[in-house]
Amino acid sequence: MTKENAIKIFEDKKVRTVWDDEQEKWYISIVDVIAVLTDSVDPTAYWRKLKQRLKAEGNETVTNCHGLKMPAADGKMRLTDVADTEQLFRLIQSIPSPKAEPVKMWLAQLGRERLEEIDDPELGIDRAMEYYHRKGYSETWINQRLKSIEVRKELTDEWERRGIKKGQQYATLTDIITYGWSGMTTKQYKQFKGLKTESLRDNMTNLELVLNMLAEASTSEISKEKQPRTFIQNAKVAQEGSSVAAAARRQLELKSGKKVVTPLNAKSIRALKKEDE
């Protein structure tokens, strides 16, 4: 089963999701949806009690729900109860909330948009642009971010051709690349920027995005030439690719007298944009 983790936004609240390529459906964190519906201070406890009640009533939807690993608040992948959209529609009926209908509409749109994006990838790009515009990012940053998505996709396609497994192996190679050019692992980099579950790339400055893209694009090109066959060989290629960006970073810092890797995150970047305006 090929899965892809993603964070979706409903009324500025994050909802963790996993897309299953084989079944062509979303699996969505039940606790996150409960947090949206109830504004509970402890949605996990709310779900625990609701699950017990529904099981006692013989509710089959609860029985059919299962767990998947998703990024937790501490940044680690932890087992979380999930449901597909059909199961969630049924669970929502058991939760008294004025937001029930808007959430149902959002769930229906979520599934439809993903299938549309598979048929026409440009729709995904348009929706990404709209999302970043709503969040207040500058036009220049958005263009860089969309290009970084393209570069990342080229790299993961290359890894797939080389037999690299999604999940831990992707994460390890990404760590090698990130550390190689920035001097920090992905986890250290996120801590440096004061992030937890947020996307690191969504919190990079223009220069950080450019150098990260250079590292990943270089890794792709070297991989195409060397055609590594083992994970160890791919790891070496990742080191070589990141070294290209590391050299560029050192030269830029030498000439400008400024550090490229900064603690600036999305909030501070948008604040600077407002000051410029």
Side-chain angles (χ1 to χ4, degrees):
M1 184 189 297
T2 302
K3 300 192 185 93
E4 174 192 339
N5 281 287
I7 299 290
K8 298 299 179 182
I9 306 295
F10 178 83
E11 294 185 351
D12 293 327
K13 289 193 175 181
K14 294 179 179 180
V15 179
R16 292 167 295 170
T17 64
V18 174
W19 174 257
D20 185 327
D21 276 336
E22 291 181 8
Q23 297 189 50
E24 292 191 343
K25 64 168 65 174
W26 286 108
Y27 286 102
I28 302 154
S29 166
I30 297 172
V31 169
D32 292 354
V33 172
I34 286 175
V36 170
L37 288 169
T38 66
D39 293 322
S40 170
V41 293
D42 192 349
T44 301
Y46 188 105
W47 168 233
R48 188 164 53 245
K49 291 180 181 178
L50 177 62
K51 184 163 57 172
Q52 289 172 350
R53 176 170 65 81
L54 293 176
K55 279 186 176 180
E57 295 172 359
N59 188 298
E60 291 185 5
T61 301
V62 176
T63 305
N64 293 332
C65 292
H66 62 284
L68 289 175
K69 285 192 174 181
M70 290 182 160
D74 59 5
K76 295 182 179 180
M77 299 296 289
R78 299 190 183 279
L79 203 62
T80 305
D81 282 345
V82 299
D84 62 26
T85 51
E86 184 179 348
Q87 291 168 331
L88 269 177
F89 275 120
R90 293 172 182 165
L91 286 175
I92 288 170
Q93 303 295 338
S94 305
I95 303 172
S97 170
K99 296 181 182 179
E101 288 306 313
V103 169
K104 287 180 184 178
M105 292 176 64
W106 177 76
L107 289 172
Q109 181 183 8
L110 185 68
R112 184 177 67 252
E113 286 183 354
R114 178 63 184 202
L115 294 176
E116 288 173 350
E117 289 168 10
I118 290 172
D119 291 334
D120 185 359
E122 287 187 11
L123 287 174
I125 295 173
D126 291 340
R127 285 169 181 148
M129 286 187 69
E130 182 183 350
Y131 166 76
Y132 289 125
H133 275 300
R134 286 202 315 267
K135 298 297 284 185
Y137 289 95
S138 71
E139 198 71 36
T140 301
W141 186 95
I142 292 172
N143 290 333
Q144 295 283 17
R145 183 68 180 97
L146 294 179
K147 183 62 180 177
S148 76
I149 293 172
E150 178 186 337
V151 169
R152 176 68 180 181
K153 181 66 167 59
E154 290 175 359
L155 176 59
T156 55
D157 284 349
E158 175 64 17
W159 281 345
E160 191 170 355
R161 286 191 290 270
R162 302 299 159 209
I164 300 301
K165 297 178 182 177
K166 291 184 179 180
Q168 188 57 52
Q169 288 192 341
Y170 273 38
T172 301
L173 292 179
T174 300
D175 252 358
I176 291 171
I177 293 172
T178 304
Y179 183 82
W181 79 262
S182 72
M184 287 184 277
T185 64
T186 305
K187 182 178 180 180
Q188 290 169 339
Y189 207 155
K190 291 179 76 170
Q191 289 174 338
F192 183 59
K193 285 182 173 288
L195 308 176
K196 291 183 179 179
T197 59
E198 302 93 328
S199 163
L200 177 58
R201 289 176 178 81
D202 281 359
N203 286 274
M204 285 183 174
T205 64
N206 286 337
L207 277 177
E208 288 171 310
L209 277 174
V210 168
L211 286 171
N212 195 65
M213 278 192 285
L214 177 59
E216 294 192 330
S218 299
T219 300
S220 294
E221 290 305 308
I222 295 170
S223 180
K224 290 172 187 175
E225 290 299 317
K226 294 195 172 183
Q227 299 185 9
R229 296 184 178 181
T230 67
F231 179 79
I232 297 299
Q233 290 173 344
N234 276 278
K236 185 177 180 182
V237 167
Q239 289 174 332
E240 292 173 352
S242 64
S243 69
V244 176
R249 176 180 64 82
R250 287 192 292 269
Q251 280 295 309
L252 179 57
E253 289 177 341
L254 182 65
K255 300 294 183 180
S256 68
K258 297 179 180 178
K259 293 289 185 182
V260 170
V261 178
T262 78
L264 288 174
N265 56 34
K267 289 182 179 179
S268 48
I269 291 170
R270 292 197 296 269
L272 290 173
K273 176 198 169 189
K274 288 181 180 178
E275 286 181 11
D276 290 341
E277 291 174 346

